[in-house]
Amino acid sequence: MSETPKPSEEYVVIRHRRGYRLRRTLILLGFTVVAAIAGYMAGMAQGGFRFSSAEETTDILVHEMEGLREQYHSARQRLVNLERGRAIDEQALRDARNAIVELETKISELNADLTFYRNIMAPTEVSKGLQVDSFTLSPTRGEGRYSFKMVLTQVGNNNRYVSGLVAVNVIGRVDGEKQVIALRDLSEDIDDLGVKFKFRYFQDIEGSLSLPEEFEPLEIQVVAQAGGRKAAQAESTFDWEQLTGN
């Protein structure tokens, strides 16, 4: 004749079963996140970080985004289920939330890339032709040292390559007096007043710059001049405080 389990033994069995279900749910969640990220990285590796065809890039980004959204909604549902559990482990909850944040970040990056390519292929009437799309600055080691990246685009009519020179000036003050310094005087990566470019859809230009002492930067002026049959000029000015967040 079997003995009736004591209350303490029943509690151990129930807790063991709950722990088993929790571990199984977390393993499934882990596989989901890994699969989503692996799919995204595989898609980027297959197409290249920068694609030769904007049309193909748009299709790839749409496909990758749909897959990530499905994985995101699945992970969100699993997170809700975990939060409803009585004996949920705090570390498991943190891991699940981190997975959700990572998926949201990937979706946001894909949205930005998709918007970029769509603007190139389907622009408004007032934004066609050569454009200075963006200019970014990031502080590096050393006082007054920054890495920069500017993106030039050809919007709308992309049948032919556009080529020319782009010049960058840093506008600021020294002892209250306005001063304009060409990028070549601030960067070891630039030798001439203008940087050559040639592209069909877009081109990235990267490098680093170092500000002189006592120089207070205010703005960055970018002027791109295309020659030949597609002669055009694009100019943009960027506020230094907005670029650096200071």
Side-chain angles (χ1 to χ4, degrees), residues 42-239:
M44 293 301 289
Q46 181 179 0
F49 183 73
R50 291 298 186 187
F51 302 91
S52 59
S53 171
E55 296 95 333
E56 295 177 2
T57 300
T58 301
D59 293 339
I60 291 173
L61 289 174
V62 170
H63 177 73
E64 293 292 341
M65 186 177 299
E66 289 176 352
L68 273 178
R69 280 175 175 164
E70 291 179 1
Q71 300 296 336
Y72 169 74
H73 290 310
S74 177
R76 286 286 299 180
Q77 185 57 49
R78 286 184 171 84
L79 177 62
V80 171
N81 295 338
L82 286 173
E83 288 176 333
R84 290 175 179 172
R86 293 182 179 179
I88 185 170
D89 182 81
E90 288 298 326
Q91 183 59 46
L93 180 58
R94 285 193 294 269
D95 291 342
R97 286 173 174 166
N98 289 337
I100 295 299
V101 171
E102 188 169 358
L103 284 171
E104 289 175 339
T105 301
K106 295 298 182 183
I107 291 174
S108 177
E109 291 173 353
L110 283 174
N111 270 320
D113 288 343
L114 186 59
T115 299
F116 176 79
Y117 285 101
R118 280 177 173 169
N119 287 339
I120 292 178
M121 300 308 300
T124 62
E125 290 297 326
V126 297
S127 64
K128 290 184 178 180
L130 179 63
Q131 303 286 326
V132 180
D133 181 78
S134 63
F135 192 100
T136 56
L137 280 174
S138 300
T140 58
R141 292 183 178 180
E143 183 69 23
R145 295 185 60 84
Y146 299 85
S147 61
F148 68 85
K149 176 181 177 181
M150 53 182 160
V151 180
L152 305 179
T153 61
Q154 182 179 207
V155 181
N157 184 10
N158 314 107
N159 296 327
R160 295 179 180 178
Y161 284 86
V162 60
S163 61
L165 296 174
V166 56
V168 179
N169 295 316
V170 180
I171 304 172
R173 289 193 296 257
V174 176
D175 296 330
E177 297 292 330
K178 181 178 179 180
Q179 186 171 356
V180 179
I181 306 178
L183 183 60
R184 73 170 182 179
D185 296 328
L186 302 175
S187 174
E188 298 178 354
D189 306 308
I190 309 299
D191 297 325
D192 300 321
L193 283 175
V195 180
K196 293 181 180 180
F197 63 81
K198 183 178 181 180
F199 61 92
R200 184 177 176 187
Y201 293 104
F202 63 90
Q203 181 173 334
D204 298 342
I205 299 174
E206 301 182 21
S208 60
L209 62 87
S210 180
L211 299 177
E213 295 182 3
E214 308 301 328
F215 180 76
E216 179 187 357
L218 300 175
E219 296 176 328
I220 289 183
Q221 180 187 54
V222 181
V223 180
Q225 179 68 54
R229 296 179 60 183
K230 305 194 74 172
Q233 178 174 304
E235 180 178 342
S236 291
T237 301
F238 302 90
D239 183 81

Side-chain angles (χ1 to χ4, degrees), residues 6-47:
K6 297 179 180 179
S8 60
E9 294 174 340
E10 291 180 353
Y11 174 77
V12 172
V13 172
I14 291 173
R15 185 174 184 182
H16 173 74
R17 290 176 179 173
R18 287 177 177 172
Y20 173 77
R21 288 196 298 270
L22 176 59
R23 289 193 298 273
R24 184 176 61 182
T25 302
L26 290 176
I27 290 173
L28 290 175
L29 177 59
F31 279 130
T32 299
V33 175
V34 171
I37 297 175
Y40 173 77
M41 297 302 296
M44 293 301 289
Q46 181 179 0

